[in-house]
Amino acid sequence: MNGADALVDTLLAGGVDVCFANPGTSEMHFVAALDKRPAMRCVLGLFEGVVTGAADGYARMADKPAATLMHLGPGLANGLANVHNARRANSPMLNIVGDHATYHLAHDAPLTSDIETLARPMSHWVRTTKRAEDVSADAAAAIAEARRAPGRIATLILPADAAWNEAPSRIATPAPPAPRRKVDAAHIKAAVAAIRSGKRTTLMLSNVALRADALETASRIAQATGVRLIAQQSNARTERGAGRVAIERVPYPVHQALDALKDVEQLIAIGAKPPVAFFAYPGKPSVMTPPGCHIQQLAEPDDDLGHALAWLADELGVAKSLKPELNPRKNLPLPTGPLNQDAISRAVAALMPEHAIVCDESVSSGRNFFSYTHGAAPHDYLQLTGGAIGLGLPLAVGAAIACPDRKIISLQADGSGMYTNQALWTEARETLDIVTIIFSNRAYAILRHEFASVGAGRPGHNASRMLDIDEPALDWVKIAAGMGVEAVRATTAEEFTKALQGAAGRRGPFLIEAVL
Ligand SMILES: Cc1ncc(C[n+]2csc(CCOP(=O)(O)OP(=O)(O)O)c2C)c(N)n1
Ligand SMILES: [Mg+2]
């Protein structure tokens, strides 16, 4: 039994049985230990951004952490953007980063770097395990940290000699996750008083308050009291569609967000952050609620949000018999004619299989998707939470590993898709049931709007060279084929619908390049 064996046994004992990996020499004993334990599913990503983004998608759907395996500082650095996104999603994640043997560090070999310093800004917890005898206890501590509500990033750095030296065979068991904290009675009382004051009040929800049962309670409160519901602009996971409660999100464009919130006199945040603009724009406000709006943080993301909502409903005297308002199932028509973002949303809405998981990194092309899909088959909706593009394709991989019986629909903008397109290879290698829709507008379209919004004027030659990706046009059918994923190109709504019907009726990875 060496340190690496102790690590994998501790992971398995802690319920961590998926490892998204991209290994190197310093992790070879870890790889050997994984090799001896078939209970651990090892999934190779051909770039660390795939590894960390997949771990995020897995955690969002499994409600528990996966492990990642990355190679020293540079491997971790490659994966950090999606660790950032995971942190913003409150996803539990356990990163294991190999390092040189402790005695080798003094020689400053080429791959030496300060891994702890790289890890810290994106991690809630960082530890280097210097001795094999500490591996199991440290791994158990890392699991416990990752599982702490609402989900945290733990990064454990494992020097090669801590992995290969002999370790005691006693395996540490991670402390079970503490139950989510109940909100303060005073917070509930204040919210009740605010709602009863007669002022225009909005409940803003995020995190697990966007799961179906919590949303039903929120809907009952809304019906009984007249408060309005709104979700944070981007959320890790929302349960929506037919038979679920409809909830809109705060829009991304500042003028739309200001407009959506202009009448709010009181905002009560439940697991959500009070709304701010994604970026600052000259002459525009940073805070999206109107001046003078009273903001109450009723519950933090790590609180028991379902309990907080149920308690609030009780205190408000919402009748137990009052039913939530649920979306009726709609028979949605298939689009015809030109292929544009609305046609794609309508086709997806009409053809979405029951309990699909939608991973949305459609950037500017999917803004209307929400409004088309309230009456679509019930589904989970996963978004980019941290704004660092390159999450969508890996997110779909992770969700598919967590939920092998569910169809994954990956709504992917073309520019963002190029950051981590290696995820397609993992889809093929693991035969994941993912249909990827590429919004092929051959531009960083959103940045053209942003260029104007920040007051930079009109893009000239140099700026356009940085905003368009049309020369040469990316050939997504070939990119997919080169990674083992079958693909077609669609240029009309009819072609797109036919391709999506085909993809919905079969299992395994498939990609549709929707040329816009
Ligand atoms: C890691 C990272 N790098 C750069 C950016 C800046 N950025 C925001 S959107 C975008 C391009 C988006 O293009 P695409 O994915 O094609 O979506 P579209 O705007 O065309 O809808 C870029 C480069 C970012 N958000 N994150
Ligand atoms: Mg684009």
Side-chain angles (χ1 to χ4, degrees):
M1 180 98 167
N2 62 25
D5 293 316
L7 173 57
V8 183
D9 281 344
T10 309
L11 293 176
L12 288 170
V16 179
D17 54 9
V18 173
C19 180
F20 297 100
N22 190 277
T25 306
S26 37
E27 296 82 44
M28 283 299 129
H29 280 86
F30 184 23
V31 171
L34 291 165
D35 204 26
K36 284 181 249 164
R37 290 163 179 83
M40 181 69 81
R41 179 160 183 192
C42 299
V43 180
L44 180 62
L46 300 185
F47 176 68
E48 291 84 349
V50 176
V51 167
T52 51
D56 184 5
Y58 176 90
R60 294 191 200 190
M61 292 313 302
D63 281 325
K64 65 173 191 167
T68 67
L69 190 187
M70 288 177 281
H71 186 51
L72 301 99
L76 173 64
N78 278 343
L80 278 178
N82 278 340
V83 180
H84 162 85
N85 286 324
R87 187 168 154 270
R88 288 282 170 182
N90 297 124
S91 292
M93 182 186 282
L94 204 183
N95 299 309
I96 296 160
V97 184
D99 195 4
H100 286 310
T102 47
Y103 60 86
H104 196 59
L105 285 175
H107 304 293
D108 195 31
L111 268 163
T112 306
S113 69
D114 182 351
I115 305 175
E116 286 194 2
T117 296
L118 282 168
R120 221 166 260 126
M122 312 304 191
S123 308
H124 297 94
W125 181 97
V126 179
R127 183 176 294 174
T128 303
T129 297
K130 297 220 169 69
R131 306 179 322 153
E133 43 275 50
D134 298 331
V135 169
S136 184
D138 284 355
I143 295 169
E145 279 299 323
R147 295 199 302 210
R148 261 173 70 179
R152 288 157 59 98
I153 312 289
T155 301
L156 183 68
I157 300 161
L158 183 70
D161 51 347
W164 71 49
N165 283 338
E166 196 171 323
S169 56
R170 213 158 37 82
I171 295 306
T173 326
R180 280 172 175 257
R181 212 174 39 199
K182 305 281 183 268
V183 291
D184 238 50
H187 284 53
I188 297 285
K189 213 172 143 200
V192 170
I195 292 169
R196 290 211 172 124
S197 72
K199 289 195 176 148
R200 285 186 299 272
T201 304
T202 291
L203 301 189
M204 186 168 164
L205 311 179
S206 189
N207 204 275
V208 291
L210 296 175
R211 301 284 171 95
D213 47 354
L215 273 170
E216 291 187 9
T217 312
S219 165
R220 294 173 51 242
I221 294 172
Q223 286 183 76
T225 64
V227 299
R228 185 180 151 211
L229 307 179
I230 198 159
Q232 201 173 268
Q233 193 234 313
S234 57
N235 303 286
R237 176 175 168 191
T238 306
E239 291 182 339
R240 58 191 306 277
R244 305 256 174 86
V245 173
I247 186 162
E248 294 297 340
R249 291 175 288 143
V250 176
Y252 174 89
V254 168
H255 68 281
Q256 286 180 26
L258 290 171
D259 196 49
L261 298 170
K262 65 176 187 301
D263 296 327
V264 182
E265 292 176 295
Q266 309 184 106
L267 184 124
I268 299 176
I270 302 177
K273 279 202 155 89
V276 296
F278 216 91
F279 293 104
Y281 300 86
K284 290 187 188 166
S286 291
V287 172
M288 295 294 95
T289 42
C293 173
H294 180 263
I295 295 178
Q296 190 208 338
Q297 191 76 42
L298 171 61
E300 299 289 344
D302 55 334
D303 288 333
D304 187 338
L305 305 181
H307 177 267
L309 281 161
W311 191 3
L312 182 61
D314 277 354
E315 293 294 326
L316 286 164
V318 178
K320 293 259 186 286
S321 58
L322 184 64
K323 296 263 179 293
E325 199 178 322
L326 304 179
N327 292 315
R329 183 65 173 265
K330 291 223 177 92
N331 213 343
L332 298 158
L334 289 172
T336 54
L339 188 57
N340 52 38
Q341 44 176 290
D342 289 319
I344 293 171
S345 292
R346 282 164 45 210
V348 174
L351 297 173
M352 182 145 49
E354 298 285 310
H355 298 292
I357 301 167
V358 177
C359 297
D360 187 352
E361 193 180 44
S362 56
V363 190
S364 70
S365 294
R367 295 242 173 96
N368 299 332
F369 178 79
F370 235 55
S371 56
Y372 285 112
T373 44
H374 289 306
H379 60 278
D380 283 75
Y381 179 75
L382 277 47
Q383 286 176 273
L384 176 63
T385 46
I389 57 174
L391 177 66
L393 297 174
L395 198 68
V397 165
I401 302 267
C403 302
D405 300 328
R406 298 173 66 174
K407 188 75 150 185
I408 315 295
I409 300 177
S410 177
L411 303 176
Q412 184 59 60
D414 53 356
S416 305
M418 284 304 289
Y419 283 62
T420 42
N421 59 31
Q422 305 90 335
L424 293 172
W425 180 87
T426 305
E427 289 185 14
R429 135 89 64 111
E430 302 287 333
T431 7
L432 303 178
D433 196 13
I434 301 174
V435 49
T436 304
I437 297 165
I438 301 290
F439 292 84
S440 191
N441 61 9
R442 297 168 180 171
Y444 286 173
I446 192 173
L447 296 187
R448 284 198 161 263
H449 295 283
E450 297 289 65
F451 197 83
S453 297
V454 298
R458 286 169 60 85
H461 175 76
N462 264 350
S464 293
R465 298 286 291 170
M466 290 184 267
L467 303 177
D468 294 332
I469 55 173
D470 57 340
E471 282 174 32
L474 294 159
D475 186 333
W476 278 94
V477 176
K478 283 191 183 150
I479 292 171
M483 296 202 224
V485 172
E486 210 181 310
V488 295
R489 182 170 295 122
T491 56
T492 63
E494 287 81 358
E495 280 172 17
F496 179 80
T497 301
K498 186 163 163 258
L500 188 59
Q501 270 164 335
R506 51 171 263 181
R507 286 186 58 84
F510 191 80
L511 180 144
I512 307 170
E513 178 178 2
V515 179
L516 301 175

PDB file of all heavy atoms in Angstrom, residues 222-252:
ATOM      1  N   ALA A 222     -45.811  33.300  -4.214  1.00  0.00           N
ATOM      2  CA  ALA A 222     -46.102  34.364  -5.189  1.00  0.00           C
ATOM      3  C   ALA A 222     -47.603  34.502  -5.412  1.00  0.00           C
ATOM      4  O   ALA A 222     -48.146  35.613  -5.458  1.00  0.00           O
ATOM      5  CB  ALA A 222     -45.388  34.062  -6.499  1.00  0.00           C
ATOM      6  N   GLN A 223     -48.274  33.367  -5.524  1.00  0.00           N
ATOM      7  CA  GLN A 223     -49.716  33.432  -5.772  1.00  0.00           C
ATOM      8  C   GLN A 223     -50.472  34.000  -4.590  1.00  0.00           C
ATOM      9  O   GLN A 223     -51.427  34.744  -4.748  1.00  0.00           O
ATOM     10  CB  GLN A 223     -50.248  32.044  -6.064  1.00  0.00           C
ATOM     11  CG  GLN A 223     -49.863  31.553  -7.433  1.00  0.00           C
ATOM     12  CD  GLN A 223     -50.505  30.210  -7.646  1.00  0.00           C
ATOM     13  OE1 GLN A 223     -51.699  30.129  -7.906  1.00  0.00           O
ATOM     14  NE2 GLN A 223     -49.716  29.186  -7.496  1.00  0.00           N
ATOM     15  N   ALA A 224     -50.030  33.612  -3.381  1.00  0.00           N
ATOM     16  CA  ALA A 224     -50.759  34.050  -2.190  1.00  0.00           C
ATOM     17  C   ALA A 224     -50.502  35.521  -1.879  1.00  0.00           C
ATOM     18  O   ALA A 224     -51.368  36.198  -1.316  1.00  0.00           O
ATOM     19  CB  ALA A 224     -50.356  33.184  -0.992  1.00  0.00           C
ATOM     20  N   THR A 225     -49.330  36.037  -2.224  1.00  0.00           N
ATOM     21  CA  THR A 225     -48.966  37.380  -1.745  1.00  0.00           C
ATOM     22  C   THR A 225     -48.775  38.396  -2.863  1.00  0.00           C
ATOM     23  O   THR A 225     -48.650  39.587  -2.585  1.00  0.00           O
ATOM     24  CB  THR A 225     -47.637  37.324  -0.957  1.00  0.00           C
ATOM     25  OG1 THR A 225     -46.598  36.925  -1.867  1.00  0.00           O
ATOM     26  CG2 THR A 225     -47.707  36.341   0.206  1.00  0.00           C
ATOM     27  N   GLY A 226     -48.649  37.936  -4.098  1.00  0.00           N
ATOM     28  CA  GLY A 226     -48.410  38.875  -5.193  1.00  0.00           C
ATOM     29  C   GLY A 226     -46.949  39.232  -5.400  1.00  0.00           C
ATOM     30  O   GLY A 226     -46.641  40.068  -6.258  1.00  0.00           O
ATOM     31  N   VAL A 227     -46.022  38.628  -4.628  1.00  0.00           N
ATOM     32  CA  VAL A 227     -44.607  38.908  -4.904  1.00  0.00           C
ATOM     33  C   VAL A 227     -44.257  38.318  -6.261  1.00  0.00           C
ATOM     34  O   VAL A 227     -44.913  37.401  -6.756  1.00  0.00           O
ATOM     35  CB  VAL A 227     -43.627  38.323  -3.844  1.00  0.00           C
ATOM     36  CG1 VAL A 227     -43.883  38.910  -2.477  1.00  0.00           C
ATOM     37  CG2 VAL A 227     -43.668  36.797  -3.819  1.00  0.00           C
ATOM     38  N   ARG A 228     -43.197  38.870  -6.851  1.00  0.00           N
ATOM     39  CA  ARG A 228     -42.774  38.392  -8.153  1.00  0.00           C
ATOM     40  C   ARG A 228     -41.538  37.518  -7.950  1.00  0.00           C
ATOM     41  O   ARG A 228     -40.761  37.739  -7.019  1.00  0.00           O
ATOM     42  CB  ARG A 228     -42.429  39.629  -8.961  1.00  0.00           C
ATOM     43  CG  ARG A 228     -42.075  39.387 -10.370  1.00  0.00           C
ATOM     44  CD  ARG A 228     -41.784  40.784 -10.955  1.00  0.00           C
ATOM     45  NE  ARG A 228     -40.833  40.625 -12.017  1.00  0.00           N
ATOM     46  CZ  ARG A 228     -39.945  41.526 -12.350  1.00  0.00           C
ATOM     47  NH1 ARG A 228     -39.841  42.659 -11.676  1.00  0.00           N
ATOM     48  NH2 ARG A 228     -39.133  41.316 -13.350  1.00  0.00           N
ATOM     49  N   LEU A 229     -41.352  36.548  -8.826  1.00  0.00           N
ATOM     50  CA  LEU A 229     -40.172  35.686  -8.760  1.00  0.00           C
ATOM     51  C   LEU A 229     -39.246  36.011  -9.913  1.00  0.00           C
ATOM     52  O   LEU A 229     -39.694  36.254 -11.033  1.00  0.00           O
ATOM     53  CB  LEU A 229     -40.562  34.205  -8.863  1.00  0.00           C
ATOM     54  CG  LEU A 229     -41.619  33.677  -7.897  1.00  0.00           C
ATOM     55  CD1 LEU A 229     -41.875  32.191  -8.186  1.00  0.00           C
ATOM     56  CD2 LEU A 229     -41.178  33.867  -6.448  1.00  0.00           C
ATOM     57  N   ILE A 230     -37.960  35.970  -9.643  1.00  0.00           N
ATOM     58  CA  ILE A 230     -36.994  36.087 -10.736  1.00  0.00           C
ATOM     59  C   ILE A 230     -35.756  35.285 -10.338  1.00  0.00           C
ATOM     60  O   ILE A 230     -35.458  35.144  -9.144  1.00  0.00           O
ATOM     61  CB  ILE A 230     -36.656  37.568 -11.054  1.00  0.00           C
ATOM     62  CG1 ILE A 230     -36.030  37.683 -12.449  1.00  0.00           C
ATOM     63  CG2 ILE A 230     -35.747  38.181  -9.994  1.00  0.00           C
ATOM     64  CD1 ILE A 230     -36.120  39.076 -13.054  1.00  0.00           C
ATOM     65  N   ALA A 231     -35.074  34.721 -11.316  1.00  0.00           N
ATOM     66  CA  ALA A 231     -33.845  33.974 -11.021  1.00  0.00           C
ATOM     67  C   ALA A 231     -32.642  34.857 -11.316  1.00  0.00           C
ATOM     68  O   ALA A 231     -32.721  35.799 -12.117  1.00  0.00           O
ATOM     69  CB  ALA A 231     -33.784  32.708 -11.867  1.00  0.00           C
ATOM     70  N   GLN A 232     -31.555  34.540 -10.655  1.00  0.00           N
ATOM     71  CA  GLN A 232     -30.280  35.187 -10.948  1.00  0.00           C
ATOM     72  C   GLN A 232     -30.002  35.049 -12.445  1.00  0.00           C
ATOM     73  O   GLN A 232     -30.524  34.148 -13.089  1.00  0.00           O
ATOM     74  CB  GLN A 232     -29.219  34.455 -10.133  1.00  0.00           C
ATOM     75  CG  GLN A 232     -27.952  35.195  -9.885  1.00  0.00           C
ATOM     76  CD  GLN A 232     -27.064  34.405  -8.922  1.00  0.00           C
ATOM     77  OE1 GLN A 232     -27.140  34.606  -7.736  1.00  0.00           O
ATOM     78  NE2 GLN A 232     -26.242  33.520  -9.447  1.00  0.00           N
ATOM     79  N   GLN A 233     -29.127  35.883 -12.971  1.00  0.00           N
ATOM     80  CA  GLN A 233     -28.886  35.845 -14.416  1.00  0.00           C
ATOM     81  C   GLN A 233     -28.305  34.504 -14.875  1.00  0.00           C
ATOM     82  O   GLN A 233     -28.729  33.936 -15.874  1.00  0.00           O
ATOM     83  CB  GLN A 233     -27.959  36.983 -14.813  1.00  0.00           C
ATOM     84  CG  GLN A 233     -27.910  37.186 -16.304  1.00  0.00           C
ATOM     85  CD  GLN A 233     -26.502  37.154 -16.806  1.00  0.00           C
ATOM     86  OE1 GLN A 233     -25.627  37.806 -16.234  1.00  0.00           O
ATOM     87  NE2 GLN A 233     -26.257  36.394 -17.833  1.00  0.00           N
ATOM     88  N   SER A 234     -27.305  34.010 -14.167  1.00  0.00           N
ATOM     89  CA  SER A 234     -26.834  32.674 -14.546  1.00  0.00           C
ATOM     90  C   SER A 234     -26.779  31.783 -13.316  1.00  0.00           C
ATOM     91  O   SER A 234     -26.415  32.219 -12.223  1.00  0.00           O
ATOM     92  CB  SER A 234     -25.494  32.728 -15.272  1.00  0.00           C
ATOM     93  OG  SER A 234     -24.555  33.368 -14.490  1.00  0.00           O
ATOM     94  N   ASN A 235     -27.177  30.546 -13.536  1.00  0.00           N
ATOM     95  CA  ASN A 235     -27.386  29.613 -12.435  1.00  0.00           C
ATOM     96  C   ASN A 235     -26.807  28.253 -12.806  1.00  0.00           C
ATOM     97  O   ASN A 235     -26.809  27.866 -13.969  1.00  0.00           O
ATOM     98  CB  ASN A 235     -28.889  29.476 -12.167  1.00  0.00           C
ATOM     99  CG  ASN A 235     -29.519  30.837 -11.877  1.00  0.00           C
ATOM    100  OD1 ASN A 235     -29.321  31.385 -10.799  1.00  0.00           O
ATOM    101  ND2 ASN A 235     -30.216  31.396 -12.851  1.00  0.00           N
ATOM    102  N   ALA A 236     -26.355  27.543 -11.784  1.00  0.00           N
ATOM    103  CA  ALA A 236     -25.720  26.246 -12.021  1.00  0.00           C
ATOM    104  C   ALA A 236     -26.705  25.249 -12.625  1.00  0.00           C
ATOM    105  O   ALA A 236     -26.359  24.480 -13.522  1.00  0.00           O
ATOM    106  CB  ALA A 236     -25.154  25.698 -10.723  1.00  0.00           C
ATOM    107  N   ARG A 237     -27.937  25.267 -12.118  1.00  0.00           N
ATOM    108  CA  ARG A 237     -28.897  24.244 -12.550  1.00  0.00           C
ATOM    109  C   ARG A 237     -30.312  24.707 -12.212  1.00  0.00           C
ATOM    110  O   ARG A 237     -30.581  25.073 -11.071  1.00  0.00           O
ATOM    111  CB  ARG A 237     -28.581  22.935 -11.823  1.00  0.00           C
ATOM    112  CG  ARG A 237     -29.548  21.811 -12.104  1.00  0.00           C
ATOM    113  CD  ARG A 237     -29.043  20.541 -11.422  1.00  0.00           C
ATOM    114  NE  ARG A 237     -30.050  19.517 -11.408  1.00  0.00           N
ATOM    115  CZ  ARG A 237     -29.964  18.403 -10.699  1.00  0.00           C
ATOM    116  NH1 ARG A 237     -28.898  18.171  -9.941  1.00  0.00           N
ATOM    117  NH2 ARG A 237     -30.921  17.510 -10.737  1.00  0.00           N
ATOM    118  N   THR A 238     -31.167  24.689 -13.206  1.00  0.00           N
ATOM    119  CA  THR A 238     -32.565  25.075 -13.007  1.00  0.00           C
ATOM    120  C   THR A 238     -33.438  23.939 -13.525  1.00  0.00           C
ATOM    121  O   THR A 238     -33.234  23.465 -14.645  1.00  0.00           O
ATOM    122  CB  THR A 238     -32.882  26.368 -13.802  1.00  0.00           C
ATOM    123  OG1 THR A 238     -31.933  27.369 -13.440  1.00  0.00           O
ATOM    124  CG2 THR A 238     -34.281  26.868 -13.518  1.00  0.00           C
ATOM    125  N   GLU A 239     -34.392  23.517 -12.710  1.00  0.00           N
ATOM    126  CA  GLU A 239     -35.333  22.483 -13.158  1.00  0.00           C
ATOM    127  C   GLU A 239     -36.543  23.187 -13.742  1.00  0.00           C
ATOM    128  O   GLU A 239     -37.210  23.958 -13.044  1.00  0.00           O
ATOM    129  CB  GLU A 239     -35.696  21.558 -11.995  1.00  0.00           C
ATOM    130  CG  GLU A 239     -34.494  20.708 -11.587  1.00  0.00           C
ATOM    131  CD  GLU A 239     -34.773  19.720 -10.459  1.00  0.00           C
ATOM    132  OE1 GLU A 239     -35.741  19.911  -9.697  1.00  0.00           O
ATOM    133  OE2 GLU A 239     -34.001  18.758 -10.332  1.00  0.00           O
ATOM    134  N   ARG A 240     -36.782  22.961 -15.023  1.00  0.00           N
ATOM    135  CA  ARG A 240     -37.805  23.756 -15.709  1.00  0.00           C
ATOM    136  C   ARG A 240     -38.523  22.947 -16.778  1.00  0.00           C
ATOM    137  O   ARG A 240     -38.305  21.759 -16.920  1.00  0.00           O
ATOM    138  CB  ARG A 240     -37.167  25.026 -16.280  1.00  0.00           C
ATOM    139  CG  ARG A 240     -36.022  24.788 -17.245  1.00  0.00           C
ATOM    140  CD  ARG A 240     -35.269  26.087 -17.542  1.00  0.00           C
ATOM    141  NE  ARG A 240     -36.142  27.145 -18.009  1.00  0.00           N
ATOM    142  CZ  ARG A 240     -36.555  27.295 -19.263  1.00  0.00           C
ATOM    143  NH1 ARG A 240     -36.155  26.460 -20.210  1.00  0.00           N
ATOM    144  NH2 ARG A 240     -37.366  28.276 -19.609  1.00  0.00           N
ATOM    145  N   GLY A 241     -39.401  23.612 -17.522  1.00  0.00           N
ATOM    146  CA  GLY A 241     -40.177  22.948 -18.557  1.00  0.00           C
ATOM    147  C   GLY A 241     -41.581  22.622 -18.065  1.00  0.00           C
ATOM    148  O   GLY A 241     -42.022  23.119 -17.020  1.00  0.00           O
ATOM    149  N   ALA A 242     -42.282  21.774 -18.830  1.00  0.00           N
ATOM    150  CA  ALA A 242     -43.672  21.449 -18.499  1.00  0.00           C
ATOM    151  C   ALA A 242     -43.769  20.780 -17.137  1.00  0.00           C
ATOM    152  O   ALA A 242     -42.915  19.978 -16.764  1.00  0.00           O
ATOM    153  CB  ALA A 242     -44.247  20.535 -19.576  1.00  0.00           C
ATOM    154  N   GLY A 243     -44.809  21.146 -16.384  1.00  0.00           N
ATOM    155  CA  GLY A 243     -45.006  20.571 -15.055  1.00  0.00           C
ATOM    156  C   GLY A 243     -44.130  21.215 -14.005  1.00  0.00           C
ATOM    157  O   GLY A 243     -44.090  20.782 -12.852  1.00  0.00           O
ATOM    158  N   ARG A 244     -43.413  22.234 -14.404  1.00  0.00           N
ATOM    159  CA  ARG A 244     -42.525  22.956 -13.472  1.00  0.00           C
ATOM    160  C   ARG A 244     -42.964  24.418 -13.412  1.00  0.00           C
ATOM    161  O   ARG A 244     -43.752  24.878 -14.245  1.00  0.00           O
ATOM    162  CB  ARG A 244     -41.085  22.877 -13.979  1.00  0.00           C
ATOM    163  CG  ARG A 244     -40.603  21.426 -14.203  1.00  0.00           C
ATOM    164  CD  ARG A 244     -39.698  21.010 -13.098  1.00  0.00           C
ATOM    165  NE  ARG A 244     -39.283  19.623 -13.119  1.00  0.00           N
ATOM    166  CZ  ARG A 244     -38.235  19.137 -13.800  1.00  0.00           C
ATOM    167  NH1 ARG A 244     -37.536  19.937 -14.591  1.00  0.00           N
ATOM    168  NH2 ARG A 244     -37.883  17.882 -13.663  1.00  0.00           N
ATOM    169  N   VAL A 245     -42.403  25.135 -12.468  1.00  0.00           N
ATOM    170  CA  VAL A 245     -42.728  26.559 -12.308  1.00  0.00           C
ATOM    171  C   VAL A 245     -41.910  27.378 -13.302  1.00  0.00           C
ATOM    172  O   VAL A 245     -40.708  27.166 -13.444  1.00  0.00           O
ATOM    173  CB  VAL A 245     -42.411  27.007 -10.865  1.00  0.00           C
ATOM    174  CG1 VAL A 245     -42.574  28.516 -10.712  1.00  0.00           C
ATOM    175  CG2 VAL A 245     -43.298  26.247  -9.872  1.00  0.00           C
ATOM    176  N   ALA A 246     -42.564  28.299 -13.980  1.00  0.00           N
ATOM    177  CA  ALA A 246     -41.840  29.191 -14.908  1.00  0.00           C
ATOM    178  C   ALA A 246     -41.163  30.294 -14.109  1.00  0.00           C
ATOM    179  O   ALA A 246     -41.769  30.891 -13.227  1.00  0.00           O
ATOM    180  CB  ALA A 246     -42.815  29.795 -15.904  1.00  0.00           C
ATOM    181  N   ILE A 247     -39.915  30.525 -14.401  1.00  0.00           N
ATOM    182  CA  ILE A 247     -39.232  31.652 -13.776  1.00  0.00           C
ATOM    183  C   ILE A 247     -38.307  32.280 -14.814  1.00  0.00           C
ATOM    184  O   ILE A 247     -37.605  31.569 -15.524  1.00  0.00           O
ATOM    185  CB  ILE A 247     -38.479  31.225 -12.482  1.00  0.00           C
ATOM    186  CG1 ILE A 247     -37.896  32.453 -11.767  1.00  0.00           C
ATOM    187  CG2 ILE A 247     -37.412  30.178 -12.747  1.00  0.00           C
ATOM    188  CD1 ILE A 247     -37.525  32.190 -10.313  1.00  0.00           C
ATOM    189  N   GLU A 248     -38.351  33.591 -14.927  1.00  0.00           N
ATOM    190  CA  GLU A 248     -37.453  34.299 -15.844  1.00  0.00           C
ATOM    191  C   GLU A 248     -36.168  34.621 -15.094  1.00  0.00           C
ATOM    192  O   GLU A 248     -36.127  34.598 -13.866  1.00  0.00           O
ATOM    193  CB  GLU A 248     -38.110  35.587 -16.356  1.00  0.00           C
ATOM    194  CG  GLU A 248     -39.325  35.354 -17.241  1.00  0.00           C
ATOM    195  CD  GLU A 248     -39.023  34.602 -18.545  1.00  0.00           C
ATOM    196  OE1 GLU A 248     -37.850  34.582 -18.976  1.00  0.00           O
ATOM    197  OE2 GLU A 248     -39.970  34.020 -19.107  1.00  0.00           O
ATOM    198  N   ARG A 249     -35.134  34.937 -15.868  1.00  0.00           N
ATOM    199  CA  ARG A 249     -33.853  35.331 -15.264  1.00  0.00           C
ATOM    200  C   ARG A 249     -33.629  36.825 -15.473  1.00  0.00           C
ATOM    201  O   ARG A 249     -34.180  37.415 -16.387  1.00  0.00           O
ATOM    202  CB  ARG A 249     -32.715  34.573 -15.943  1.00  0.00           C
ATOM    203  CG  ARG A 249     -32.694  33.110 -15.658  1.00  0.00           C
ATOM    204  CD  ARG A 249     -31.618  32.441 -16.473  1.00  0.00           C
ATOM    205  NE  ARG A 249     -31.985  32.372 -17.869  1.00  0.00           N
ATOM    206  CZ  ARG A 249     -31.146  32.520 -18.876  1.00  0.00           C
ATOM    207  NH1 ARG A 249     -29.872  32.775 -18.661  1.00  0.00           N
ATOM    208  NH2 ARG A 249     -31.564  32.426 -20.118  1.00  0.00           N
ATOM    209  N   VAL A 250     -32.768  37.398 -14.663  1.00  0.00           N
ATOM    210  CA  VAL A 250     -32.347  38.782 -14.917  1.00  0.00           C
ATOM    211  C   VAL A 250     -31.589  38.759 -16.244  1.00  0.00           C
ATOM    212  O   VAL A 250     -30.666  37.972 -16.421  1.00  0.00           O
ATOM    213  CB  VAL A 250     -31.424  39.291 -13.788  1.00  0.00           C
ATOM    214  CG1 VAL A 250     -30.923  40.694 -14.109  1.00  0.00           C
ATOM    215  CG2 VAL A 250     -32.131  39.258 -12.448  1.00  0.00           C
ATOM    216  N   PRO A 251     -31.988  39.610 -17.225  1.00  0.00           N
ATOM    217  CA  PRO A 251     -31.310  39.579 -18.528  1.00  0.00           C
ATOM    218  C   PRO A 251     -29.856  40.045 -18.431  1.00  0.00           C
ATOM    219  O   PRO A 251     -29.494  40.763 -17.504  1.00  0.00           O
ATOM    220  CB  PRO A 251     -32.130  40.557 -19.377  1.00  0.00           C
ATOM    221  CG  PRO A 251     -33.384  40.840 -18.617  1.00  0.00           C
ATOM    222  CD  PRO A 251     -33.089  40.577 -17.181  1.00  0.00           C
ATOM    223  N   TYR A 252     -29.053  39.634 -19.413  1.00  0.00           N
ATOM    224  CA  TYR A 252     -27.634  40.030 -19.452  1.00  0.00           C
ATOM    225  C   TYR A 252     -27.442  41.504 -19.848  1.00  0.00           C
ATOM    226  O   TYR A 252     -26.730  42.227 -19.163  1.00  0.00           O
ATOM    227  CB  TYR A 252     -26.867  39.105 -20.410  1.00  0.00           C
ATOM    228  CG  TYR A 252     -25.426  39.511 -20.646  1.00  0.00           C
ATOM    229  CD1 TYR A 252     -24.405  39.041 -19.816  1.00  0.00           C
ATOM    230  CD2 TYR A 252     -25.076  40.376 -21.692  1.00  0.00           C
ATOM    231  CE1 TYR A 252     -23.080  39.426 -20.026  1.00  0.00           C
ATOM    232  CE2 TYR A 252     -23.766  40.760 -21.900  1.00  0.00           C
ATOM    233  CZ  TYR A 252     -22.767  40.277 -21.072  1.00  0.00           C
ATOM    234  OH  TYR A 252     -21.465  40.663 -21.280  1.00  0.00           O
TER     235      TYR A 252
END
